[in-house]
Amino acid sequence: MYCVIDFETTGLSPYESDIIEYAAVRVEDDGEGDLTIGEVFTDLCSPKKSFISQKITQITGITARMVMGKTPFEEHLRNLLDFIGTDTVVAHNVPFDMGFLRRYCGDAGLPVPSKTLCTVQLSRKLCRLKSYRLEAVAQALGVSGEGYHRALADAVTTARVLMELLPML
């Protein structure tokens, strides 16, 4: 079905920044034709080649202390790809998240999931809003969300946004 992903990173460039938190949330058919949130896969990761700046900590709340002793994302990658399986990868701004996933898959010589769906693009097609930030889209669709800029909270909110947008197609 769908696997919603979200990454918190040390910066904007996949080649100069590292993933410090990830989440994947499965969206599946409940057997009665409705979509529901299923399994969740998430963890903090230690950056390998960059550091967590004060600006990133202000945005995400993630500190260097929180990721101390955690394994780098490279060691989570295979398990994340197994979790995604053949599902369509969904993200709010899929080019950003897929840029990081492509980099890590490329470094590891692993295949990149090919089916993607972007809730930013979908909301632009289906909604007329002043802003397409996740918080704005969620609010416009009546989706409750909290803890923005943390991977699990953003992935769950994006999953709920997706479940509101798909019937509008």
Side-chain angles (χ1 to χ4, degrees):
M1 203 91 251
Y2 300 99
C3 186
V4 179
I5 64 169
D6 188 77
F7 299 136
E8 300 305 328
T9 64
T10 58
L12 300 177
S13 169
Y15 295 96
E16 297 173 8
S17 307
D18 292 305
I19 294 172
I20 54 174
E21 185 178 42
Y22 69 93
V25 175
R26 190 165 324 285
V27 176
E28 52 199 13
D29 189 310
D30 68 357
E32 297 180 18
D34 293 320
L35 294 177
T36 186
I37 294 176
E39 285 183 275
V40 171
F41 189 62
T42 187
D43 208 350
L44 288 165
C45 307
S46 177
K48 279 182 81 173
K49 61 183 179 183
S50 58
F51 67 97
I52 300 173
S53 69
Q54 189 166 0
K55 180 180 178 184
I56 294 299
T57 296
Q58 288 172 342
I59 293 169
T60 65
I62 299 170
T63 65
R65 181 175 290 228
M66 291 170 67
V67 300
M68 192 178 303
K70 298 287 185 179
T71 56
F73 181 74
E74 290 85 346
E75 296 182 33
H76 297 263
L77 179 60
R78 286 184 190 273
N79 290 333
L80 176 60
L81 293 173
D82 287 344
F83 184 82
I84 293 169
T86 60
D87 288 351
T88 297
V89 175
V90 179
H92 198 75
N93 190 10
V94 83
F96 176 81
D97 295 284
M98 287 303 294
F100 277 89
L101 196 54
R102 267 189 208 88
R103 174 212 137 187
Y104 281 96
C105 286
D107 289 351
L110 296 170
V112 180
S114 60
K115 298 182 297 184
T116 63
L117 181 61
C118 181
T119 54
V120 171
Q121 292 174 355
L122 198 55
S123 61
R124 282 190 173 134
K125 288 180 182 178
L126 299 171
C127 308
R128 289 186 171 263
L129 303 172
K130 289 182 179 181
S131 169
Y132 292 93
R133 289 182 0 264
L134 181 57
E135 299 97 316
V137 174
Q139 184 178 16
L141 295 172
V143 171
S144 63
E146 55 185 63
Y148 292 105
H149 301 295
R150 288 301 302 264
L152 182 57
D154 285 356
V156 168
T157 301
T158 301
R160 290 180 179 148
V161 163
L162 175 70
M163 293 187 301
E164 292 296 321
L165 291 172
L166 287 176
M168 297 167 68
L169 287 173

